[in-house]
Amino acid sequence: MQFSTDVENVFTQKEIEEILKDEQNFYIEHAEKNWLNRYFKIKAMANETKVPSIISSISDMPHGSSNFKKSKTEMYALKTIQASEWLEKLDSAIQSLSPIEQELIELKYLRKRNDGSRYSDEVIYPQLYIGRKKYYKMKREALDILGRKLYGAFAERGYS
């Protein structure tokens, strides 16, 4: 309790609100950039079934050596598994949202129109039977929650 009093003495209320807004914007951007905008690419990777060439490589290096080349079959299998785990983590975070927030995220980020583009906000909020102002507030809150739940879940390399 003393800490919050000390913070209030150091920062003005306006400065505290600005810091919290910046933090919220960080998590919203993280959810969109690192998760939702990658959804279709990762989903395709998870469903991809490539058949690598069947050429074996023989090496005299022990299997645990850093110079040992992994087989192409193993690399494809690992990518598919990692993509599936990524999708499960995203789905779990989405399931933690309220039903209307889940539907909002689904309509906005996880579905595409017939021409391959995303639905616009103006198309989505009437489908949810809510007003424009409430829609944008709910969207920010849902993205903030997702960003916080997903932040640091996976190292971002390998999922780009």
Side-chain angles (χ1 to χ4, degrees), residues 46-62:
N47 296 327
E48 197 172 76
T49 54
K50 284 188 177 177
V51 178
S53 63
I54 307 180
I55 299 172
S56 298
S57 61
I58 300 173
S59 172
D60 59 352
M61 297 297 291

Side-chain angles (χ1 to χ4, degrees), residues 100 103-104 106-108 111 113 119-131 135:
I100 194 165
E103 190 173 359
L104 184 154
E106 168 104 13
L107 290 170
K108 180 64 182 171
R111 286 192 194 161
R113 297 178 349 174
Y119 289 99
S120 69
D121 294 325
E122 290 74 23
V123 171
I124 297 171
Y125 65 79
Q127 290 182 25
L128 299 174
Y129 302 105
I130 58 175
Y135 169 81

Side-chain angles (χ1 to χ4, degrees), residues 50 52 71-84:
K50 284 188 177 177
S71 73
K72 288 181 181 179
T73 306
E74 183 180 351
M75 293 305 294
Y76 288 127
L78 285 174
K79 273 190 169 186
T80 301
I81 291 168
Q82 288 173 336
S84 295

Side-chain angles (χ1 to χ4, degrees), residues 14-44:
K14 187 175 180 178
E15 289 172 325
I16 292 171
E17 289 172 5
E18 192 63 35
I19 291 168
L20 293 175
K21 184 178 178 185
D22 288 345
E23 180 183 354
Q24 183 184 42
N25 288 337
F26 171 82
Y27 286 112
I28 289 170
E29 184 178 319
H30 175 73
E32 287 183 315
K33 180 182 167 195
N34 296 319
W35 290 85
L36 298 170
N37 291 345
R38 293 180 176 181
Y39 173 74
F40 291 104
K41 184 177 180 179
I42 301 292
K43 186 175 178 182

Side-chain angles (χ1 to χ4, degrees), residues 127-160:
Q127 290 182 25
L128 299 174
Y129 302 105
I130 58 175
R132 183 176 193 266
K133 190 174 181 178
K134 184 173 181 180
Y135 169 81
Y136 283 109
K137 184 177 190 277
M138 186 181 301
K139 180 179 166 185
R140 284 187 63 78
E141 290 171 358
L143 289 172
D144 181 34
I145 292 167
L146 283 179
R148 289 173 191 275
K149 288 190 176 289
L150 296 169
Y151 184 73
F154 290 105
E156 297 306 332
R157 63 182 169 78
Y159 295 104
S160 53

